[in-house]
Amino acid sequence: MTKVVNYISEAFEELKSNVTWPAWAEVQRLTIVVAVFSVVFALATWGVDEIFAKALAGFFNWIKA
């Protein structure tokens, strides 16, 4: 158990002393970029899914006829 506690305390010390944290303004800007990209990617995925669904439905309707 002492190894786990030692590991966690060393990890926090590493985060405090050796990590270069970005400025708050940069964090906000990058968060907005990630959110916008996520929405665009989700819409693109939805669009491709709709196109394939309609193509498959058309193909199966064509086979039925």
Side-chain angles (χ1 to χ4, degrees), residues 6 8 12-13 20 24 29-30 41 50 55-56 60:
N6 189 28
I8 291 172
F12 276 113
E13 184 59 36
T20 303
W24 182 245
R29 183 181 59 83
L30 292 176
F41 189 74
E50 287 294 316
L56 283 173
F60 286 120

Side-chain angles (χ1 to χ4, degrees), residues 9-48:
S9 66
E10 286 178 3
F12 276 113
E13 184 59 36
E14 182 84 16
L15 288 172
K16 284 194 284 186
S17 61
N18 295 337
V19 174
T20 303
W21 296 99
W24 182 245
E26 185 178 7
V27 171
Q28 289 176 329
R29 183 181 59 83
L30 292 176
T31 301
I32 292 170
V33 168
V34 168
V36 168
F37 179 77
S38 296
V39 169
V40 168
F41 189 74
L43 289 173
T45 303
W46 172 77
V48 170

